[in-house]
Amino acid sequence: MKKTVLVIPPNDPEAILIYELAKAMGIQIIRSSQPHGATLEKETDLVPLIRDGEWKRVVIVEMPGLNVEAKLRKMGVEVVIIDHHQYTGIDRAKHPKTGKLLPSSLEQFLKLFRITDIQLRKFGYTPKIARGIGVMDRGYVWALQEEGYRQLEIETVIALQRALLLKHGLLKDEDRKMKQTKKAWKNRKMWNEYFIVTSNVETEIRSRVSMIVVQEIGKPTPIIFLEKKRGLIYVQESPRAMDLFRQFGGFTFGGNRNWGYRNEKGKRQVTLQEVKNILV
């Protein structure tokens, strides 16, 4: 453990819980301040920091970066990847040998560091609820239902998510953000079996709309999100998600039925019409 360091961006409930558990266990941590879409290349001082820290094992949580990983290995550092997503040119969603979909990052972290239910209780968490954060990250509320979580347990997992976000200051001005989200949801349009939800504000609406879907519809619902101000396009709960990934790159989340792409300057711009052409 003294020779191990965890590199992590605590930017969502799962990553925050991993971060909190690592702190409770006394694991040394390099904390990234990057939001969703974090990469090792954006941590410009990471390689010299690890070299100066003389760590022999680096555990990296959901921060892809093949060039930086190669530099660390060249230094003689063992690089351990915790991830369950696919990115352009990088497949971290499947086991490299078996091809099976990997469990959530939290579930991988608990296994890697052999964290037991006794330890989870010691750190102040109800084991099933804490593990539910990982289950929800890989398959949302629907995965919790499939694994036998009762309604009250699901509500408790969601409450823990919120508490983690609040603790790390990621739920600021939530009333205004939910108002914007509800407006976008109200103005949704229907195309084939998909809802199209469009937003022209900086607020991240996808996860908030997803919670509205749980409350109002109560089942997996195909949705195309256009978060124009943030440069993001998503498709949720679609059997064509991997077709979109193969065509455009981007990233996957929540298994193979969810896809996203960030339209950044200097990169290919993916339009709604192009996405529709694949979905058809």
Side-chain angles (χ1 to χ4, degrees), residues 30-56:
I30 296 175
R31 176 177 179 169
S32 168
S33 60
Q34 292 183 53
H36 276 170
T39 64
L40 292 179
E41 277 73 17
K42 294 176 184 176
E43 299 291 323
T44 54
D45 60 347
L46 183 64
V47 173
L49 185 61
I50 291 171
R51 181 185 62 239
D52 295 343
E54 298 183 348
W55 288 294
K56 298 301 181 185

Side-chain angles (χ1 to χ4, degrees), residues 23-256:
K23 282 202 307 180
M25 293 182 67
I27 299 170
Q28 297 179 84
I29 301 170
I30 296 175
R31 176 177 179 169
S32 168
S33 60
Q34 292 183 53
H36 276 170
T39 64
L40 292 179
E41 277 73 17
K42 294 176 184 176
E43 299 291 323
T44 54
D45 60 347
L46 183 64
V47 173
L49 185 61
I50 291 171
R51 181 185 62 239
D52 295 343
E54 298 183 348
W55 288 294
K56 298 301 181 185
R57 181 172 69 156
V58 179
V59 181
I60 302 168
V61 181
E62 295 191 6
M63 293 181 70
L66 297 179
N67 291 334
V68 176
E69 292 165 19
K71 289 179 182 178
L72 293 173
R73 292 188 177 100
K74 193 173 181 179
M75 286 165 44
V77 175
E78 179 189 358
V79 176
V80 179
I81 302 298
I82 290 181
D83 207 334
H84 61 119
H85 303 281
Q86 292 191 68
Y87 314 92
T88 303
I90 306 175
D91 187 353
R92 297 275 159 85
K94 298 188 290 293
H95 191 284
K97 293 182 179 178
T98 66
K100 292 183 178 179
L101 285 176
L102 290 169
S104 69
S105 291
L106 175 62
E107 291 164 315
Q108 293 179 48
F109 173 81
L110 294 174
K111 182 178 180 180
L112 178 65
F113 289 98
R114 299 188 179 99
I115 301 175
T116 65
D117 286 356
I118 292 173
Q119 287 175 297
L120 287 173
R121 291 190 187 95
K122 179 183 176 182
F123 299 147
Y125 297 99
T126 302
K128 187 174 183 179
I129 302 305
R131 294 178 186 277
I133 296 291
V135 175
M136 192 159 173
D137 192 270
R138 64 172 157 82
Y140 204 50
V141 170
W142 328 121
L144 291 171
Q145 292 173 342
E146 288 172 4
E147 297 207 5
Y149 280 71
R150 299 187 299 274
Q151 183 58 34
L152 181 58
E153 291 173 324
I154 292 173
E155 291 171 5
T156 307
V157 172
I158 294 170
L160 177 56
Q161 279 192 326
R162 183 176 179 82
L164 292 167
L165 291 169
L166 280 169
K167 182 176 180 179
H168 284 254
L170 297 181
L171 281 183
K172 295 177 181 177
D173 205 9
E174 190 62 17
D175 289 342
R176 177 182 63 84
K177 292 175 180 178
M178 278 306 301
K179 186 176 180 180
Q180 293 172 333
T181 299
K182 288 176 181 178
K183 181 179 178 181
W185 176 242
K186 183 179 179 181
N187 292 332
R188 68 192 181 275
K189 297 179 180 179
M190 198 75 192
W191 174 78
N192 290 354
E193 71 268 33
Y194 293 85
F195 287 125
I196 299 177
V197 180
T198 303
S199 166
N200 291 299
V201 298
E202 291 286 354
T203 296
E204 188 275 327
I205 68 163
R206 184 194 60 78
S207 63
R208 294 176 173 89
V209 166
S210 297
M211 193 54 63
I212 293 174
V213 169
V214 170
Q215 296 164 349
E216 293 187 2
I217 300 177
K219 63 179 182 179
T221 301
I223 304 177
I224 302 170
F225 288 96
L226 297 174
E227 296 196 12
K228 293 183 177 180
K229 203 83 169 181
R230 300 178 67 232
L232 284 157
I233 184 166
Y234 302 97
V235 176
Q236 282 191 184
E237 300 300 340
S238 170
R240 307 300 301 277
M242 288 306 300
D243 293 328
L244 290 163
F245 180 78
R246 283 187 283 268
Q247 178 69 26
F248 303 119
F251 54 91
T252 64
F253 59 99
N256 283 343

